[in-house]
Amino acid sequence: MRMRTKEVASFVSRASGETSVLARVGPRRHHPPLLNSFALEQEWPTPVLDLVRDGGARLVLQLRRGRILPRDGEERMAWAEEVLQRAEEAGLPGRHLLLDPVLLPWGEDLAAGEGLLECIDGARGRWPDTSTLVGLSNVSWGV
């Protein structure tokens, strides 16, 4: 497959695990890409780190360990501390990071939103340069 040289969309998903495409996307983009997403236990490949650190890309960091999600706001904040410390050690600027506290579907836990909101509020005060985002596509699963 040949990439078009005129324009590449701002959003780049790395869900496939294929990071070699990131090196090809960088020079052809008009806006910094949004890279979705990495969790605590995952390896952060060098092309990803380079695009965030040197190329201005934004990186979504999910607060999960594989399929394990934090139980409450306190655990989310602890995991946020851990993932953001790792990002700092890698030289990633906070302004390029998007913290995803991961909302559990309401069908699993109707009170899950409370811990998520606690984390968003706490993160805003603790890491003002880092943004937050929440994926809502599965929120009503099981309801």
Side-chain angles (χ1 to χ4, degrees):
M1 180 168 80
R2 188 169 169 95
M3 293 185 83
R4 294 183 182 177
T5 57
K6 281 190 168 187
E7 183 176 338
V8 174
S10 302
F11 179 80
V12 177
S13 176
R14 75 122 220 102
S16 69
E18 178 56 55
T19 57
S20 65
V21 71
L22 297 177
R24 296 193 315 260
V25 168
R28 295 186 173 118
R29 61 183 163 70
H30 293 277
H31 305 286
L34 174 63
L35 306 173
N36 184 41
S37 63
F38 287 99
L40 286 163
E41 82 291 348
Q42 288 178 291
E43 177 185 340
W44 298 356
T46 301
V48 170
L49 297 177
D50 290 346
L51 262 181
V52 176
R53 187 176 36 244
D54 306 323
R58 311 265 331 254
L59 177 62
V60 177
L61 299 172
Q62 288 189 336
L63 300 184
R64 62 179 175 83
R65 297 182 190 279
R67 293 183 170 198
I68 300 170
L69 301 176
R71 294 181 302 265
D72 55 26
E74 185 176 328
E75 189 168 50
R76 279 183 173 84
M77 284 299 290
W79 289 14
E81 175 80 36
E82 185 178 338
V83 75
L84 292 172
Q85 178 65 37
R86 184 175 169 194
E88 184 179 322
E89 290 168 3
L92 305 181
R95 68 185 182 281
H96 292 187
L97 304 175
L98 295 146
L99 196 60
D100 180 355
V102 185
L103 178 61
L104 286 169
W106 290 339
E108 287 187 35
D109 183 1
L110 280 173
E114 186 176 330
L116 176 118
L117 293 174
E118 288 173 15
C119 181
I120 290 171
D121 188 47
R124 196 177 290 158
R126 176 98 189 241
W127 303 286
D129 289 343
T130 301
S131 299
T132 56
L133 74 89
V134 178
L136 297 175
S137 63
N138 292 330
V139 72
S140 63
W141 176 85
V143 175

